[in-house]
Amino acid sequence: MNTPVNRIGLVFNPGSFRNARNRDLAGEIVAAFREMGETVLIGDPDVLTTTLTKWRQEGLDLLVISGGDGTVQRLVDEMLRIWEGDIPPRLLLLHGGTAGVVARETESVEPVIALSILQEAYLEKRPLPTGKLRTLKVGDRTTLSFGLGAFRNVSAEYITYGGQVALSHLYLGARLAGSYMAGGSFARRAFEPCPWTISIDELEYDSDHFVGLYASALRRLPVFKPLQEMECPEDGFKVLGIETLDRRAVAKVIRPLLQRSSEGYPEQVMLCGTLRLEVTAGEGKIPYMADGEYYSETGSLVVTAGPPVEVVRLDKINQES
């Protein structure tokens, strides 16, 4: 749908890390948007749903999102529900969160530059280049990543120091490895074996086989370099699993994961591309993480590839001109 943009809406999350840290930039983004379209702030979910429904009726064809990965996940899920049966609007993602995994997947440029390009294209009625953003279907929810066990538990402890994400990764890795070697409570919580049966395509793993699973439909995945480099079925997604670890193996796992290295992985790390993942609890709930947000399901949870979403790729403008 490489056509000129006619009707635009901005969803802005003032509480996401980069937006909250730089209030002046946040104000510039909202101010720059006033002449192009309507803005709604993340807050009351009923207001957001009402606004998106109104935008659908008005023929919105570009939805701009400024926030973190959790904001993007929430908006993608809500947008696909509201536009069910119709072609949803294109997305333009502005990195306003912490890690910005999804924004970086789309080669997002700095927000001020992105808005300048968008303003010119809007006024001159020029089309913008687009690409596909792959998604996951986790139960009834459309997400971009899925974390179980250690990936959920460690993400809950994630803290960014001074906005330096790499430093935060290293600090977290050192803290986690130290806790594990000392038998501390942080590591015990993080690496508690997953008490559920897990099936990946035709293979079934008994409860307590994994301490963590991470799945994503994204292809670049700079957070986990081994997943970025591995092959995957075109209509599937990538999985990184960590099996039960001993003390000698834990440091070999934690360091390359958090440094985004592709070297030094022990045999307890599983990497694969797949079409279907199922988690079965029998009784009780399955807590999981999706793009920095936390949910739980009862009984069983099926993960498959979700519908692709069209995103604006401002990095391709010079390539096409």
Side-chain angles (χ1 to χ4, degrees):
M1 192 170 64
N2 194 6
T3 57
V5 175
N6 293 308
R7 195 173 292 272
I8 314 173
L10 168 67
V11 177
F12 188 85
N13 185 354
S16 59
F17 180 77
R18 290 183 69 176
N19 288 341
R21 187 166 175 253
N22 192 337
R23 295 292 186 182
D24 291 340
L25 176 59
E28 286 182 38
I29 293 172
V30 174
F33 208 82
R34 287 179 185 144
E35 297 180 0
M36 292 187 289
E38 186 179 355
T39 298
V40 62
L41 302 181
I42 287 285
D44 188 336
D46 292 335
V47 173
L48 180 61
T49 300
T50 300
T51 302
L52 290 175
T53 302
K54 179 172 73 74
W55 285 350
R56 176 190 176 180
Q57 295 168 349
E58 294 172 348
L60 188 84
D61 59 0
L62 178 64
L63 178 59
V64 183
I65 303 173
S66 177
D69 294 328
T71 303
V72 175
Q73 179 267 318
R74 177 180 172 186
L75 264 294
V76 168
D77 185 54
E78 186 82 354
M79 179 188 73
L80 291 175
R81 290 179 190 274
I82 291 173
W83 266 265
E84 185 176 7
D86 288 339
I87 298 175
R90 291 161 282 183
L91 299 180
L92 174 59
L93 306 182
L94 305 181
H95 181 8
T98 305
V101 174
V102 184
R104 283 187 289 168
E105 172 79 8
T106 66
E107 298 286 359
S108 175
V109 300
E110 284 300 311
V112 172
I113 297 174
L115 286 173
S116 175
I117 296 172
L118 179 59
Q119 283 176 316
E120 289 184 12
Y122 176 70
L123 293 173
E124 298 174 8
K125 301 299 180 184
R126 286 191 287 105
L128 292 168
T130 61
K132 295 294 184 184
L133 179 67
R134 294 176 173 88
T135 70
L136 289 179
K137 198 69 177 177
V138 180
D140 294 329
R141 182 172 285 112
T142 301
T143 75
L144 300 156
S145 69
F146 167 77
L148 197 67
F151 290 99
R152 178 198 180 278
N153 301 335
V154 172
S155 71
E157 301 279 347
Y158 183 77
I159 301 174
T160 298
Y161 291 85
Q164 299 180 36
V165 175
L167 176 61
S168 180
H169 275 81
L170 292 175
Y171 178 90
L172 185 62
R175 181 182 166 208
L176 185 57
S179 178
Y180 193 93
M181 295 303 177
S185 60
F186 176 28
R188 284 199 302 273
R189 292 193 307 270
F191 290 114
E192 184 178 0
C194 298
W196 314 294
T197 302
I198 295 171
S199 299
I200 302 175
D201 285 339
E202 301 300 321
L203 297 176
E204 182 174 299
Y205 300 88
D206 293 333
S207 61
D208 298 343
H209 182 87
F210 291 104
V211 296
L213 278 175
Y214 178 86
S216 179
L218 305 182
R219 293 301 192 254
R220 292 186 64 247
L221 280 167
V223 173
F224 297 130
K225 190 174 180 181
L227 281 180
Q228 178 178 331
E229 296 173 346
M230 67 170 289
E231 295 185 1
C232 176
E234 180 61 29
D235 54 349
F237 56 96
K238 300 181 179 185
V239 175
L240 185 156
I242 301 178
E243 301 175 5
T244 303
L245 301 169
D246 58 31
R247 292 185 184 275
R248 290 175 298 176
V250 66
K252 293 181 180 180
V253 171
I254 294 173
R255 182 179 176 182
L257 274 180
L258 297 175
Q259 288 186 325
R260 303 169 188 172
S261 168
S262 60
E263 299 178 357
Y265 281 93
E267 61 184 6
Q268 289 92 339
V269 173
M270 179 199 72
L271 299 167
C272 68
T274 188
L275 298 173
R276 189 177 188 275
L277 185 155
E278 183 173 4
V279 185
T280 304
E283 297 181 358
K285 292 187 175 182
I286 304 168
Y288 68 95
M289 177 270 293
D291 305 294
E293 300 294 321
Y294 301 93
Y295 307 98
S296 63
E297 297 290 341
T298 302
S300 66
L301 190 63
V302 175
V303 182
T304 59
V309 179
E310 191 169 15
V311 292
V312 171
R313 292 288 302 271
L314 297 181
D315 63 299
K316 291 185 176 181
I317 286 180
N318 291 334
Q319 300 174 23
E320 296 187 358
S321 59

